[in-house]
Amino acid sequence: MDSSPSRAVLAVSSDVYRVYLHTGFDFPEKGTVKKWDQGTIKITINPGANDDPKATVKQSDELVMKGMKYDIDNEGTVDLEFFVDKEKGVGEPKLVKIEIEGKISSCGCVDPLYIREVDIVWNQVIYRFPIHNYLSSVCCGSSEKDEPQHGCAPYLYAQSGGGSVNHDELEGFIKTARDKELNIIKSMVPWEREDRVGPICGYVGYKKYNDLPRFLQFRQAWIDAFASSIIEGSSNLLPAVHFNYVSEYYGKALERDFKSFADYMECFVYMGEKVGWKKTDIKDGLKVGHIFQQDPEFGRQIIQGPNSTKLWKVEELSETWKAGIDKIPSHVIDGEDIDTVISDGRLYEIKNSGTLEGVKHGGKLSKALTGYSQTWYVTHADVLLFHSKARPEEEAFVPVLIRLENKNDGEPETFWYPPENDVHKEDPTYLAWLFAKMHFRCADWGVYSIGTHYARAHAQNEVFAISMYRNLSSSHPLFRLLKPHFQGIVGVNCQARESLIASDQNAFAKFMSSGDDLPQLLVNCCKELHYDNMVVPTDFETRGLKDVPNYFFRDDCEALWEILLNYVQEMVDLSYHDDKTVTEDHELQHFVKEISDPGFKGFGGAGFPDSLTSKEKLVEYLTVLIFNVSCFHTGVNFQINKYLGYVPNAPPSLRTPPPKQDDVITMDHIMQSLPQYECALAAMISLEVLGNFSPIERFYVETKAEHKLGYLGENMAVSEEQEGCIKRMVVKMEGLRDTITKRNEEKYLAYNVLSPQNIPITTQT
C-alpha cells in the first residue's frame, strides 16, 4: 500500500510550486511533431540565495522533471507540481536556474532543446521567466560544468517579470547569477576584425555557420526552407549551364540572347515559374515590363523602389554636373531656367560614382554560365531628377540628366538627356537615353545590393546584435526589448559570408557587373554608414526630401518611426526614472560602447555615440536599432522580385560599355548588352532566395489568412506593463495598415511593402 502522504497533507506543510515548462516555437506551416526525451531537466528556484546574507528568499532543492517528452518543432508545454517544505523558506520565485542532465548517447552528446519560457505559480500568483534560448547537457566525461556545451550555455538563468536595470539595487545572489551568465555568453560571441581590403563593420568571430553557438543559428524550420530554396535554385540553373558545356564540347556554344523586349517578357513568365516565383510577383514584374521605359516610371522607382537612400536635393551644383548641365534641353524642365529650378528646391540627384570607385569590371564566371567569356561593365553612373509643376502629380518626378563614365577603361564621361516627347521608340536618341538609364540601373543594382541591403540592413544590424549578446544579460529589460528584433541576424550574415559573398562561393559574381569585386564595393559602402542617416525624420530633412511628391517610402517610414518611438519611450519609462539611471546602467553603457568600438572602429565610430547620458537619447538610439533591423530592412528587401527581377528594367550586368557621345544606339545593341538567359535566371534565383519571408517570421501585425504570426508570442518583455506597451503599439500599427491599404486602392502598382502586416520584426533574409 502506498504510504506517501496525500496532496492535502503535503499542502499543509509545504509551499506548492506549479512549474510550467514551455518548449519549441510556433510557425504557421508545421511539419511533423517531434519530441525531445534525451535528458532530465532540473530547475532551481532562487539559486545562490542561501549564500547571500541580504537575500529575502532561500534556494530550493532541484526540481526534477524526469521522464518527460518535450515538443521541439512546435509549441508545447509540460507542467508538474512540486511540494517544498515551508521550513526551507524558499518563498517568492525571483530567479530560476535551468540545466539538463543528459542521457549518454554513442557520441556522448545530446541535442539542444529550445526553451521558450518557464512559468511558476506560487501563492496564486503567476511568475513568468522568459528564456527563448537553447539548452544542452554536459558532454560525457566533461567536468567543466561552467563551459559551453554543444554550442549552448551549460545552464540558463532567468529573472521573473520585466527584468531589472540597476545591479546595485539587486539582491546579491541575482547579481552574481547575471554576471556569471553574461560572462559565459560573452565568451561565446567574440568579435572578428579581419579587414583584408579595408575597414568594414565588425562581425562575429566564426568562419562557418555551423560553428556558431546554437542561439545564434536559425531555428530548424528556417534552415530547412533555406536549404530547400538553394537546392531548388541550383537544380533550375544547372541544366542550362550543363547545356552550354555540352554545346561547347561539340562546337560553338549556343548564345541565348533575348531578341526583343517582347521576347524577354514571354521568357520572364517561364523563368519566374521555373524558379518558383509566386504568381503575384510574376504579375507585378509584367506590369513593370509594360511601363519601365517611361521616364515617370523611372522616377517613381527611385522613390518607391528598393533603393532611395542616396537621393538628395541639389542645393548647389557640384563638379559632377558642370560639364553637362548647360546642355539640358529646355523641354525636359518645362522651359524653366535651371537656376530657378534649383532655388525652388526641385532638382535632385543620386551619385553612385563614389561608391563604385575602384570596383573592377565583372564577368569571370560568364563562361561557366554562358559558354562564352564576357566582360560585365562597371560604369560610374549618376542622375539628376526634376520635380515638375506642369505634369500630373503622379508623373511629376522625372530624370533629366544622366552622367556615365567607364573609368576602368579610362574613357571620358558622357552626358545623356531625354529626347523630345514625340520621338519614336526606334529613334537612336530615344534608344540612347533608354540605354543610359539601363547603365544607371545596372550601377544602382550593385550599390543597392551591397550598400543599401547588405551593409546598411545586414552588416550594421549584426554589430548591434553582437554587442547585445556580449553586454546585456538576458534579464536586462533592454535585452528583452531587443532580442526578438535581433533574432537570426548573426546567423543570416554568417551564412551570407560563407555561401553568398565568399570569394569561392560568390553568388553575385554569377550575374552582377560589380560582383567580382565585392570586397572593394563592401568597403566603399561601409564608409557611407552613419548614425545620423538612421534617425528617420532627421535623415529625410537633411537630404531635403520633405517636398518630393508621392514619396511613399518616406511617408511610411516616418509613420512607422513615430509609432516605434512612442513604443520605445513607454518601455524605457518602465525601467529608467531619470537621466541618472541611464548613466549608471553599466550594462547599457558597455553595450553602446562596443557598438561604437569595435563595431564601427574602422570608421571612427560612424557617428554612433560611445555613451548615453539621457533618457531622450536612449529612446532615439533604441528606436534607430529597432527601425533599422525591421522596417528599413523590409523596405529595401521585399520588393526586389517586383523591380529587380524584370531584367530590362534593372539589368544586374551589361555586356557592352556605356555609349560614347556620338554612338548610334540600336535595339539590337541594347538586347545584345543585356544579360543572357543563364545570368538572368541566376539573378531571379538569388532574388527568390533573398526576397521572401522566412517560415518563422513574426510581424508587427498578425494576418491569419496569410499565416503571418504577430509580435506577441516572440516577446521576452513579459510583465503586464510591458505587454500593455506592445499591445498599444500593435493597435497603432493596425491603424497604419488600414491607411496604407486605402492609399493603394486602384493603384497600378501598389506600394504596400511597409504595411505593418508585411514587416517582419527582425532580419532573417
Side-chain angles (χ1 to χ4, degrees):
M1 183 174 180
D2 186 3
S3 61
S4 60
S6 67
R7 186 186 187 285
V9 172
L10 285 171
V12 173
S13 60
S14 307
D15 276 334
V16 181
Y17 294 87
R18 188 85 189 185
V19 178
Y20 295 82
L21 183 72
H22 306 284
T23 61
F25 39 83
D26 195 15
F27 60 95
E29 299 176 15
K30 297 181 178 68
T32 303
V33 175
K34 297 179 181 179
K35 295 288 186 178
W36 185 95
D37 61 351
Q38 299 181 27
T40 299
I41 292 178
K42 298 180 178 181
I43 296 176
T44 305
I45 299 174
N46 301 328
N50 293 351
D51 300 323
D52 181 3
K54 295 183 179 180
T56 59
V57 294
K58 293 296 182 180
Q59 175 179 319
S60 74
D61 295 331
E62 291 178 340
L63 309 181
V64 180
M65 306 186 81
K66 191 174 183 179
M68 313 297 291
K69 292 186 177 182
Y70 306 92
D71 288 326
I72 298 177
D73 290 337
N74 63 307
E75 291 183 353
T77 298
V78 169
D79 65 289
L80 285 175
E81 200 169 55
F82 295 92
F83 295 88
V84 179
D85 193 331
K86 286 183 178 180
E87 292 185 359
K88 291 183 179 293
V90 174
E92 178 185 357
K94 296 183 176 182
L95 179 76
V96 296
K97 179 183 180 181
I98 312 164
E99 52 196 326
I100 295 178
E101 180 181 277
K103 295 179 180 179
I104 305 303
S105 64
S106 59
C107 64
C109 301
V110 297
D111 294 328
L113 175 66
Y114 184 78
I115 301 176
R116 285 184 292 115
E117 187 172 315
V118 173
D119 296 339
I120 298 179
V121 179
W122 176 76
N123 273 359
Q124 298 182 327
V125 178
I126 300 174
Y127 296 83
R128 297 180 63 183
F129 299 84
I131 308 294
H132 292 262
N133 204 342
Y134 288 87
L135 188 62
S136 186
S137 69
V138 178
C139 282
C140 177
S142 173
S143 60
E144 301 296 332
K145 294 187 177 181
D146 287 341
E147 293 296 320
Q149 301 293 328
H150 316 131
C152 301
Y155 42 77
L156 299 172
Y157 288 109
Q159 275 181 264
S160 64
S164 58
V165 171
N166 194 334
H167 277 194
D168 294 335
E169 295 183 3
L170 293 174
E171 293 174 273
F173 76 97
I174 298 179
K175 181 181 185 302
T176 298
R178 285 177 65 143
D179 291 344
K180 194 171 186 179
E181 175 207 49
L182 190 55
N183 287 333
I184 291 173
I185 297 298
K186 194 168 188 174
S187 72
M188 299 173 70
V189 189
W191 287 102
E192 178 64 69
R193 291 298 313 170
E194 184 181 359
D195 303 334
R196 296 181 180 179
V197 177
I200 59 175
C201 301
Y203 56 97
V204 74
Y206 293 92
K207 301 296 184 186
K208 295 183 177 298
Y209 170 83
N210 288 334
D211 293 337
L212 288 173
R214 187 63 186 89
F215 58 84
L216 294 181
Q217 296 181 21
F218 296 113
R219 297 168 191 173
Q220 193 60 43
W222 195 102
I223 297 171
D224 294 343
F226 183 82
S228 175
S229 63
I230 292 290
I231 293 170
E232 183 178 353
S234 299
S235 66
N236 286 321
L237 184 59
L238 282 174
V241 174
H242 183 259
F243 179 80
N244 286 326
Y245 274 117
V246 173
S247 299
E248 185 181 21
Y249 179 81
Y250 286 104
K252 187 177 181 181
L254 178 65
E255 291 190 68
R256 299 211 275 184
D257 291 333
F258 300 105
K259 305 305 179 186
S260 64
F261 291 148
D263 178 38
Y264 178 79
M265 186 170 285
E266 184 176 338
C267 290
F268 174 76
V269 176
Y270 167 77
M271 290 189 295
E273 292 173 346
K274 188 175 181 66
V275 301
W277 277 28
K278 296 186 288 292
K279 290 182 179 180
T280 53
D281 286 340
I282 296 174
K283 183 178 179 180
D284 282 344
L286 291 174
K287 286 183 176 181
V288 169
H290 285 297
I291 61 174
F292 81 94
Q293 299 182 51
Q294 302 170 14
D295 285 351
E297 176 60 13
F298 182 97
R300 190 191 69 81
Q301 289 187 36
I302 291 294
I303 56 176
Q304 293 183 27
N307 188 25
S308 66
T309 59
K310 295 177 72 67
L311 181 68
W312 285 74
K313 179 188 288 185
V314 175
E315 303 287 351
E316 183 179 351
L317 284 173
S318 65
E319 288 297 323
T320 301
W321 307 110
K322 291 293 177 68
I325 195 70
D326 292 338
K327 299 176 183 177
I328 290 183
S330 176
H331 74 273
V332 304
I333 53 174
D334 301 337
E336 298 186 59
D337 177 73
I338 192 65
D339 292 329
T340 301
V341 172
I342 294 173
S343 63
D344 282 353
R346 293 185 290 117
L347 194 67
Y348 300 84
E349 67 180 0
I350 294 179
K351 294 195 289 188
N352 286 327
S353 295
T355 312
L356 293 168
E357 187 66 40
V359 178
K360 304 295 190 297
H361 296 320
K364 290 180 181 178
L365 296 182
S366 58
K367 186 171 184 179
L369 266 72
T370 69
Y372 287 88
S373 294
Q374 303 169 358
T375 299
W376 298 342
Y377 287 86
V378 173
T379 300
H380 290 204
D382 312 304
V383 64
L384 280 180
L385 298 113
F386 167 60
H387 177 194
S388 169
K389 291 181 178 179
R391 290 172 174 264
E393 186 178 273
E394 292 196 352
E395 300 177 5
F397 199 64
V398 292
V400 294
L401 175 60
I402 290 176
R403 174 189 171 274
L404 303 178
E405 183 180 5
N406 180 5
K407 201 167 185 178
N408 282 326
D409 297 331
E411 296 290 343
E413 64 183 3
T414 57
F415 293 90
W416 304 92
Y417 314 90
E420 295 286 348
N421 293 331
D422 58 354
V423 167
H424 193 271
K425 287 188 176 183
E426 298 299 321
D427 188 284
T429 59
Y430 176 91
L431 295 174
W433 174 241
L434 177 61
F435 195 40
K437 288 190 290 184
M438 287 181 171
H439 268 284
F440 175 84
R441 289 287 196 205
C442 181
D444 204 54
W445 224 109
V447 172
Y448 156 77
S449 298
I450 306 305
T452 306
H453 187 196
Y454 183 74
R456 167 79 186 267
H458 277 263
Q460 273 199 136
N461 293 339
E462 183 173 357
V463 171
F464 310 149
I466 292 173
S467 189
M468 179 196 72
Y469 282 111
R470 288 175 53 83
N471 295 292
L472 298 178
S473 75
S474 64
S475 292
H476 196 293
L478 296 188
F479 182 95
R480 295 184 177 185
L481 170 68
L482 295 173
K483 171 64 167 23
H485 296 285
F486 292 167
Q487 174 68 39
I489 181 60
V490 178
V492 75
N493 283 8
C494 190
Q495 206 168 53
R497 287 190 292 272
E498 185 179 355
S499 304
L500 293 176
I501 61 175
S503 57
D504 59 340
Q505 290 196 57
N506 181 351
F508 291 96
K510 296 176 180 178
F511 57 85
M512 194 169 77
S513 283
S514 50
D516 284 355
D517 211 357
L518 284 193
Q520 182 61 58
L521 180 56
L522 179 58
V523 167
N524 292 354
C525 292
C526 285
K527 289 178 181 177
E528 298 176 356
L529 300 175
H530 198 278
Y531 176 85
D532 291 346
N533 299 338
M534 301 171 66
V535 182
V536 170
T538 304
D539 176 49
F540 289 120
E541 186 172 352
T542 300
R543 291 194 281 140
L545 304 180
K546 291 293 187 179
D547 299 324
V548 177
N550 296 302
Y551 194 0
F552 299 144
F553 176 75
R554 172 203 59 208
D555 299 342
D556 294 349
C557 281
E558 290 184 339
L560 289 161
W561 172 272
E562 191 64 26
I563 292 172
L564 290 175
L565 186 74
N566 291 333
Y567 164 62
V568 172
Q569 181 73 64
E570 287 190 40
M571 284 292 208
V572 167
D573 286 343
L574 293 176
S575 302
Y576 297 88
H577 308 300
D578 52 30
D579 293 346
K580 184 180 179 182
T581 54
V582 173
T583 304
E584 293 181 349
D585 184 356
H586 301 303
E587 287 187 20
L588 166 64
Q589 298 300 334
H590 291 153
F591 166 63
V592 172
K593 177 66 172 65
E594 281 203 9
I595 287 176
S596 176
D597 181 4
F600 296 108
K601 181 179 180 179
F603 322 106
F608 282 80
D610 58 9
S611 64
L612 295 175
T613 57
S614 71
K615 283 179 62 177
E616 181 181 11
K617 193 64 177 178
L618 172 60
V619 169
E620 177 193 271
Y621 190 91
L622 295 172
T623 306
V624 161
L625 271 53
I626 293 173
F627 183 92
N628 200 69
V629 81
S630 57
C631 303
F632 182 84
H633 175 261
T634 295
V636 302
N637 185 56
F638 293 115
Q639 290 195 111
I640 53 179
N641 282 14
K642 180 189 296 185
Y643 293 115
L644 303 186
Y646 194 85
V647 165
N649 175 61
S653 57
L654 287 168
R655 292 180 285 156
T656 62
K660 297 179 180 179
Q661 206 70 67
D662 56 353
D663 282 352
V664 176
I665 303 301
T666 65
M667 182 57 74
D668 285 344
H669 181 83
I670 290 176
M671 299 312 299
Q672 289 168 11
S673 301
L674 289 172
Q676 290 178 238
Y677 170 83
E678 295 81 9
C679 299
L681 194 65
M684 294 179 75
I685 290 169
S686 294
L687 294 173
E688 178 66 11
V689 171
L690 299 174
N692 278 298
F693 301 127
S694 100
I696 58 169
E697 299 279 20
R698 292 277 182 164
F699 297 81
Y700 281 112
V701 171
E702 182 174 289
T703 312
K704 291 183 178 179
E706 298 179 23
H707 304 296
K708 292 179 178 178
L709 298 174
Y711 195 111
L712 285 170
E714 189 68 17
N715 59 299
M716 290 190 68
V718 298
S719 73
E720 185 177 346
E721 296 82 3
Q722 289 170 331
E723 290 200 334
C725 295
I726 294 172
K727 290 174 182 176
R728 286 188 291 275
M729 179 266 289
V730 170
V731 168
K732 293 176 183 177
M733 289 287 189
E734 289 171 341
L736 178 58
R737 172 203 60 194
D738 295 342
T739 298
I740 292 173
T741 298
K742 185 175 181 180
R743 182 190 68 199
N744 280 309
E745 291 176 357
E746 299 182 3
K747 293 284 186 185
Y748 178 72
L749 281 164
Y751 188 83
N752 58 5
V753 65
L754 285 175
S755 177
Q757 65 184 355
N758 296 326
I759 303 177
I761 64 174
T762 185
T763 300
Q764 297 198 73
T765 54

